[in-house]
Every structure is written in structure tokens, then in C-alpha cells.
Amino acid sequence: MNELFESFADAHARQGGYLLAQTLSPVPPPGQPNRLRAIWKSTNSHSAKGDIKHFIKTSTSHREKLDNNEVNGWVEVYKAYWKAIGEILAGEVGKSTWTKVYESWKELTTTLIRGYNASGFAAWTIPSLYMVGKYLRLFAIKSDEERSRTTSEPIAGASLMQDDFDSEADKQGQLRDCEQHLKRIFTLCLNDRAPLEESRKWGIYFVINLLFKTYFKLNSASLSRTILKTLAVYKDKGDMPPLEMFPKSQRITFKYYEGVLSFLDENYVEAETHLTSAWQLCHKDAKRQAERILTYLIPCRLLTSHVLPTDALLDNYPHLRELFLPLAKCIKSGNLRAFDLALQKGEDEFVKRRIYLTLERGRDIALRNLLRKVFLAGGFDEPKEPDSTPVRRTRIPVAEFQAAISMGSGGELIDPDEVECLLANMIYKDLMKGYIARERGIVVLSKKGAFPGTGL
């Protein structure tokens, strides 16, 4: 335990928030696999409080001294940490449960929050809140998985680091409880009245990101919008540091979730803006993070700019290549039947990621490309003068579009009325410019920009 509080004292002397946070980690550092067990064995339940107080005072005596109020606050925090370590170690040998680990870690979280409110912990120590908040969420997930296994069939593929989306909302009682404590940390940071340079508001985006992950895990993404509205109020008052001043990792995660929320609201232009920001900030070697961003950015660009992912991009992400390349090829070629089959094949994954309905709209782009081929195949009108510039034929019989759509749909004959309905929708959606002359059975296309976004 002496080594633990030497690190504590060193962190205080340097005002190193992240160094301090490491002293509250439930995971032993690399090269010290027995550190947690050594801390646990260094005292007992009767002596823990006194021993911890002694070590804190001794380790800080030759450095900057802490006042008694702060010392007592940290004593309570490390006492709760010591108890939590005991449950973690007991769980490793089958003598405890993830539920007990979660409950003990929740006690640590509550004690740390109390330290900021009652013992005046300085703002530079807020990475400690990151540490306890991060593992509170992870232990809650493990506890819910454990409880599910004991009350029903096992959850297929359940793991600590599984995807943030989960439909088992009714089996997530601990995570819902965790959300309440994360909101307490959010409030603690948000309502700090200290000047910005020494404010707990510098911890706000880390906590917001934890809340976003929790809400998505609970299938309650809509609750994230309340957080954004609250944040906007403080931004408008000038009572919040600008996002650009926070660590890049926090900015990327925040922009990612902000983009996904806009995506779910079908505000694809705004979603693309946020997701592009996250993508540009993302480190080139952070493949998993980049893949998550691209999962939503690719469908966004398909709808907003009609841009398909390139082979070069997808080559870096095999999973995304498997998901999107078949659809991209079908859209580019205008093969409606193949598009429907590719969408059907990836349906489970698309629904899980909540991008199915967005990708389904890509069929309009595939149809646009098919109709464009008909337009190109029509060639040029007869020139009125020998040396005049060739002008593409803009009056195309509906029957030609009908033949192309029937072929693109796998050879099934499409009714002329249905074809006209499809063409009318394309014109309405501004994917094709012109009008249908029903009495003449032709489509009259615009001489310029007949198919927006294609250069024709």
C-alpha cells in the first residue's frame, strides 16, 4: 500500500490528474500483475481506514500538505477502493459476483462524488471521475449479463466490450442504475461555478460520452438529446469551454454520437457534418473507431451527395467492404434485383446498426443510374444544321424506361402505370428533371442537368 500512496502523493505534487486516476484503477498496471492483491493484503477491514490515513499523511508530509478535510475525503475514497478490490479479487476465484463488484464500485463512485462536494477536491483530479465512471458502466454491463444467465437463456455473443447497441433493455437493470450515477457526475461537472481555468467543466465531455454509450446500450438514444439541449444552454451563455480545447479522443467520440443522433433523426446533412469532423480527427491507425464512423458516414454521403465508397477506402476495412461493396456495385450499375438481394443478405447487420432504412433509399440512386443509362443509350437528336453541336435526345418513350426497369428487376414485366409512378417519384425527389407527357407516352427531360449529380 505504501507504493500506492507514494503514487498518490506524486500525483498531488505534480497535479497530475491522470497519474492520480491510475491509483484508482481496478486493472493492475503492465508488469505488476499482483498489485491489486498486494494492496488488498496490506491491511484488513478493521484497520483499513486508519492505515490509509497514515499512508496518505506520511506520503504527503514532505511535499505539499493536504488540509484535514481533503485528507479525510481521500481516506474515504481509498477505503471504498480497497473494498472494491476485495470483491474483484474474490470474483476471480469464484467467491464473488459481478453484481457485488458493481455494488462495491458504485459505493466508490458515490464516495468520490461526495469528496468533490464536501471535501473540496480540486478540478485537476477529475480524471479520477473518468476512471470510476468508465468502470462503473463496464461492471454494470457484466452484472446484467451475469443476472441474465442466471434467470434465462444465455445472451448469445455477450461480452464486456460488445457493441453499444443492445435490444435487451428489460434485462439491463444495473446499467439503468449506472446511468443515474453517471448523471450525478454530469451534474457535478456542469454546475461547477469556479472560473473555467480551474473548473470541473473540463470533465464534461468525457462524462457526456459515457452517457451516450449508456443510452445507446439501453436502446434509449433519445435521452441523449436532453444532454445535448442542456449543453447547448450553457454554450449559449458562454459558460462552457469550447469543444476544440478538449482532448482529441473526447472530441471524436462526441462528434460521432452527435452525428449518429442526427442520422437517427434523418437529418443526414447535419449528420454528415458531425461524422466527417469525427472522421477527420480520427487517427489513421484507429481502425475500429474509423470503421464505426464510416458505418454511418457512408450511408449519409450516399443520400446527401450520391457518393459511393471507393474500393481503396473499403480495402482498409474488410467488414465494411463485405457490407457495402455489393450494394455499391448494384447502385453503380443500376441493377435493382441484385440491390434488393444484397440488402436482404445484409439485413440483420443493417437493422442492428440502424442503417437499413437509410440504405434502402439507395434503391432510388440505383434506379436513377438505370434511367440515366436509358438516356445515354438514346443517343442524340438529328442535327438541324450540319455543323451544329449534337444535342442528346430528351424525349424518351416510357416504354424504353419500362423495358430497362423490367430487365433491372430480374426480367419481371413491370406495369406501365407502375413505371410512370416510379418516374414521377424520381422527378419529385429531384433525381431526374423533366415531366411525363402521358397522352404521348413519353418523358420530356431537361436539356441541362436531366440527372442531377451525374453531370448530365
Side-chain angles (χ1 to χ4, degrees):
M1 189 173 284
N2 185 55
E3 182 182 352
L4 174 70
F5 288 105
E6 280 298 322
S7 298
F8 170 85
D10 184 48
H12 262 270
R14 299 187 190 186
Q15 292 195 352
Y18 289 94
L19 291 174
L20 181 65
Q22 287 302 314
T23 66
L24 292 172
S25 173
V27 178
Q32 295 181 276
N34 296 317
R35 176 171 175 170
L36 297 185
R37 191 167 298 280
I39 294 171
W40 170 249
K41 288 185 174 181
S42 65
T43 187
N44 56 59
S45 58
H46 298 292
S47 307
K49 185 173 181 177
D51 288 345
I52 290 170
K53 190 169 187 176
H54 166 74
F55 278 116
I56 288 179
K57 285 190 171 183
T58 301
S59 62
T60 58
S61 62
H62 58 289
R63 311 189 194 203
E64 182 181 352
K65 292 187 178 180
L66 309 180
D67 63 52
N68 286 333
N69 190 33
E70 188 175 359
V71 167
N72 291 334
W74 286 115
V75 167
E76 294 300 323
V77 167
Y78 283 97
K79 180 183 175 184
Y81 174 63
W82 179 82
K83 288 182 178 179
I85 287 176
E87 292 296 344
I88 292 169
L89 294 173
E92 290 179 355
V93 294
K95 294 183 179 179
S96 186
T97 64
W98 282 114
T99 297
K100 289 181 179 179
V101 170
Y102 170 73
E103 292 296 332
S104 65
W105 201 261
K106 182 171 71 173
E107 182 181 345
L108 169 60
T109 304
T110 299
T111 305
L112 185 61
I113 292 173
R114 189 185 305 124
Y116 285 94
N117 288 325
S119 301
F121 292 172
W124 63 264
T125 66
I126 56 173
S128 299
L129 290 170
Y130 303 171
M131 182 67 74
V132 298
K134 170 185 174 181
Y135 282 99
L136 184 70
R137 175 179 173 271
L138 295 178
F139 291 151
I141 293 171
K142 292 295 284 185
S143 174
D144 283 330
E145 291 174 356
E146 178 183 72
R147 286 150 63 99
S148 295
R149 286 194 296 270
T150 59
T151 58
S152 62
E153 292 294 325
I155 301 175
S159 66
L160 179 62
M161 300 304 290
Q162 73 181 46
D163 188 76
D164 287 330
F165 301 128
D166 194 340
S167 61
E168 298 291 329
D170 58 327
K171 299 179 181 179
Q172 296 174 304
Q174 299 289 60
L175 191 58
R176 292 186 182 280
D177 180 67
C178 168
E179 180 256 344
Q180 296 300 316
H181 292 280
L182 293 178
K183 283 201 298 188
R184 291 177 62 198
I185 298 177
F186 172 74
T187 302
L188 176 72
C189 294
L190 188 68
N191 292 337
D192 189 14
R193 299 303 178 192
L196 284 182
E197 58 270 17
E198 53 188 51
S199 172
R200 293 193 295 265
K201 286 187 173 71
W202 290 104
I204 198 70
Y205 281 103
F206 187 94
V207 183
I208 287 175
N209 291 338
L210 277 182
L211 281 168
F212 283 166
K213 292 180 180 182
T214 303
Y215 289 140
F216 274 92
K217 183 75 174 175
L218 290 170
N219 259 343
S220 302
S222 59
L223 295 176
S224 302
R225 297 180 181 92
T226 304
I227 299 294
L228 290 177
K229 289 178 182 177
T230 303
L231 186 64
V233 171
Y234 280 77
K235 284 182 176 179
D236 291 343
K237 294 191 298 184
D239 197 18
M240 186 64 62
L243 178 62
E244 292 72 23
M245 297 183 69
F246 285 79
K248 184 183 288 188
S249 61
Q250 295 180 24
R251 288 151 53 198
I252 293 172
T253 304
F254 178 77
K255 281 295 180 182
Y256 164 74
Y257 279 104
E258 198 173 20
V260 173
L261 286 169
S262 297
F263 182 95
L264 297 178
D265 285 338
E266 299 186 1
N267 188 344
Y268 298 115
V269 174
E270 186 174 318
E272 182 180 0
T273 300
H274 296 313
L275 291 168
T276 300
S277 296
W279 167 254
Q280 291 172 344
L281 288 168
C282 194
H283 193 276
K284 61 182 178 67
D285 294 330
K287 297 291 186 182
R288 185 164 179 254
Q289 191 175 50
E291 183 174 298
R292 289 165 66 87
I293 296 169
L294 287 172
T295 299
Y296 297 94
L297 184 56
I298 288 173
C300 272
R301 287 186 171 171
L302 173 62
L303 292 191
T304 59
S305 311
H306 305 164
V307 173
L308 295 172
T310 63
D311 286 345
L313 175 66
L314 293 179
D315 282 344
N316 295 317
Y317 308 97
H319 183 59
L320 293 184
R321 183 181 181 83
E322 181 182 350
L323 286 179
F324 291 123
L325 188 59
L327 288 174
K329 287 181 176 179
C330 298
I331 291 171
K332 189 174 182 178
S333 65
N335 192 331
L336 303 179
R337 175 63 177 162
F339 177 87
D340 292 338
L341 292 175
L343 192 66
Q344 183 180 353
K345 182 179 179 181
E347 181 176 356
D348 291 343
E349 185 73 12
F350 296 146
V351 170
K352 178 185 176 184
R353 299 292 178 184
R354 305 182 185 188
I355 59 176
Y356 179 85
L357 294 178
T358 305
L359 290 174
E360 191 177 37
R361 297 181 185 183
R363 197 177 197 275
D364 289 337
I365 312 302
L367 178 58
R368 188 274 309 271
N369 290 342
L370 177 61
L371 299 179
R372 175 177 174 269
K373 287 186 176 184
V374 176
F375 175 63
L376 291 174
F380 298 87
D381 287 329
E382 289 292 332
K384 295 180 179 179
E385 298 179 8
D387 296 330
S388 61
T389 303
V391 177
R392 284 200 174 275
R393 184 180 61 149
T394 56
R395 288 171 172 78
I396 301 174
V398 172
E400 293 186 16
F401 285 127
Q402 179 187 12
I405 294 173
S406 296
M407 291 177 63
S409 300
E412 178 185 355
L413 182 62
I414 307 298
D415 185 81
D417 289 339
E418 184 177 347
V419 172
E420 287 188 10
C421 181
L422 289 171
L423 295 173
N425 280 333
M426 297 299 285
I427 293 169
Y428 173 77
K429 294 175 181 178
D430 203 31
L431 293 172
M432 184 170 74
K433 290 190 175 182
Y435 64 90
I436 303 171
R438 294 198 65 193
E439 68 285 352
R440 297 163 59 191
I442 65 171
V443 177
V444 181
L445 295 173
S446 174
K447 292 183 178 181
K448 292 185 178 180
F451 292 92
T454 66
L456 291 172

